[in-house]
Every structure is written in C-alpha cells, then in structure tokens.
Amino acid sequence: EIVLTQSPGTLSLSPGERATLSCRASQSVSSSYLAWYQQKPGQAPRLLIYGASSRATGIPDRFSGSGSGTDFTLTISRLEPEDFAVYYCQQYGSSPRAFGQGTKVEIK
Amino acid sequence: QITLKESGPTLVKPTQTLTLTCTFSGFSLSTSGVGVGWIRQPPGKALEWLALIYWDDDKRYSPSLKSRLTITKDTSKNQVVLTMTNMDPVDTATYYCAHMTVGTIFGVVSFDLFDYWGQGTLVTVSS
C-alpha cells in the first residue's frame, strides 16, 4: 500500500508569491499516476493535475506539476486570491487509491 | 457535460446501514473506460477513497472497509449505489461520488482518475 505524505501542512503566503507543495510516496508511483486536487471550503475537490504534470481542462497555466518515482511537486507560480485553498495529492495507479493528508495554502 | 449528485440520509444511528445513491448524467456507465468511485471526508480531515465500480461491473474496495461496503450500478437509471453496514460515529463525513476515466493496458486496468466530482452529502452518525 502506497502512503502519500504532503508537506508542509500549512503554507502562509501573500498573493503574487510562488507556492511549492510537496508530495512524497512511500513507494514508487507507477507511470507517474499522480494527481493534484484543489478544495475550497464547502466545495468538492477539483482536479488540477494528472499524470504528475498534465493540467486538467480549464486549469490556468500558473499551476504546474512535476516529479516522478516517489517525489512530486505542485507549483503555483503567482498566487491569485482564489488559489488559497487545501491541496491534495493522490496516486491512482495501484490499489488502494491513496490521498495525501493535504496542504493548506493560506493568506499571510 | 458530466454531473453527479449524491443522495441519501443525512442522519443515521449507530449500527444502522447507510445507503447512498449517486445519480449522474453526461456519460454512460456501460461505456468502456468509465467508472464511478466513492470518497469520503470527515469534518476537517483528509479525503479517503472507499470503493469504485467499472463499466464492466468489476469492483474495488478499500481494504480497511471492505467487509462493510457494497457498490452496485444500475446502468438504465444512471445510478451507482454504495451501502455501508454497521455505521459508527467515526463514519460521520461528507460522502462524494466521482466519475472516473479508466485506462487499460491489454485489457487490464492501469489507472482510474477521479476527474469529475459530485457536490457531496454530509452524513452524521449519532443516536
């Protein structure tokens, strides 16, 4: 079973700053089947990135994903006010499908 | 346009069985490469995958909850039903269903991606 560990737990930044979120897997994630989701309060998660680096439909290009094997990163190049939210990584290539515990990006 | 909506009781008593229905539109669960999954989220906590069902009626369950879960589909009604037995207060959570895009290699599922989510339904377990 793959366990995903996200860091940091909370990231305090100002609008316009760059955000770098980490997701580390306990075992190699097959074929980079790693996704990132954004969740705002009271809303369902929204798919941002799949395949470690491909943006989902309609996702702005300030969001980018990278990594392979056990280390993955979500980068938001310049934070917009609407980007302050909780972000989850998820591996979807092996069973059980696991989510990380989340990183909250909050306004500093 | 793909949409999903969860429905079911908002309050259940401990030991009771929870039955949730996911009603969807914009896709057919008889189409190859399609699936529906269930995920839950306790208040203030992380997401937890529960179960999923593929177009060919193959199913997968979270190992930690497998004995309590059953997932079924009704293709004619565009619905997927999740039942969870022996509910406990720790099962209090928002329950989501999600559309999956499923990839296969030589007929074997290689991935299933939750790409469209329902709005979720909050289920409270309390006597």
Side-chain angles (χ1 to χ4, degrees):
Chain A
E1 178 177 339
I2 297 177
V3 176
L4 299 177
T5 302
Q6 293 185 239
S7 61
T10 301
L11 201 50
S12 298
L13 295 168
S14 301
E17 290 194 295
R18 181 185 187 90
T20 303
L21 288 68
S22 173
C23 176
R24 179 161 290 179
S26 60
Q27 305 170 39
S28 183
V29 176
S30 61
S31 301
S32 295
Y33 291 141
L34 192 287
W36 290 92
Y37 298 88
Q38 176 194 66
Q39 187 178 35
K40 298 179 182 179
Q43 295 185 18
R46 176 175 71 146
L47 177 65
L48 296 177
I49 300 287
Y50 63 95
S53 61
S54 297
R55 275 187 299 277
T57 303
I59 301 304
D61 60 8
R62 64 179 181 272
F63 291 92
S64 63
S66 62
S68 63
T70 60
D71 290 297
F72 299 88
T73 301
L74 174 70
T75 301
I76 311 171
S77 58
R78 288 178 56 86
L79 282 165
E80 297 288 340
E82 62 267 27
D83 299 337
F84 291 92
V86 179
Y87 293 83
Y88 293 96
C89 60
Q90 187 227 348
Q91 69 84 15
Y92 57 97
S94 65
S95 196
R97 283 77 179 142
F99 290 89
Q101 82 278 19
T103 290
K104 182 179 182 180
V105 179
E106 65 176 22
I107 300 176
K108 186 174 181 180
Chain B
Q1 179 189 6
I2 290 175
T3 64
L4 306 98
K5 188 171 184 179
E6 307 85 353
S7 59
T10 58
L11 179 66
V12 298
K13 290 180 167 50
T15 76
Q16 287 186 335
T17 293
L18 172 68
T19 299
L20 293 173
T21 300
C22 176
T23 302
F24 55 85
S25 63
F27 67 96
S28 172
L29 202 37
S30 61
T31 300
S32 177
V34 172
V36 171
W38 286 92
I39 306 98
R40 72 178 178 179
Q41 185 174 39
K45 296 189 177 181
L47 300 164
E48 178 185 20
W49 170 69
L50 300 177
L52 58 85
I53 189 165
Y54 298 123
W55 73 96
D56 60 0
D57 208 38
D58 195 9
K59 303 159 188 177
R60 300 284 186 272
Y61 296 99
S62 167
S64 62
L65 293 166
K66 184 175 183 177
S67 64
R68 299 173 54 205
L69 296 173
T70 303
I71 189 169
T72 60
K73 65 181 176 73
D74 186 331
T75 304
S76 64
K77 292 183 179 179
N78 281 351
Q79 291 181 333
V80 170
V81 174
L82 181 75
T83 61
M84 180 180 291
T85 61
N86 194 24
M87 293 292 285
D88 183 272
V90 300
D91 297 313
T92 293
T94 296
Y95 287 75
Y96 297 99
C97 63
H99 170 277
M100 303 186 310
T101 293
V102 183
T104 61
I105 297 177
F106 301 118
V108 177
V109 171
S110 60
F111 73 84
D112 39 60
L113 176 66
F114 298 122
D115 46 10
Y116 297 89
W117 294 60
Q119 64 190 24
T121 185
L122 175 62
V123 178
T124 301
V125 184
S126 174
S127 55

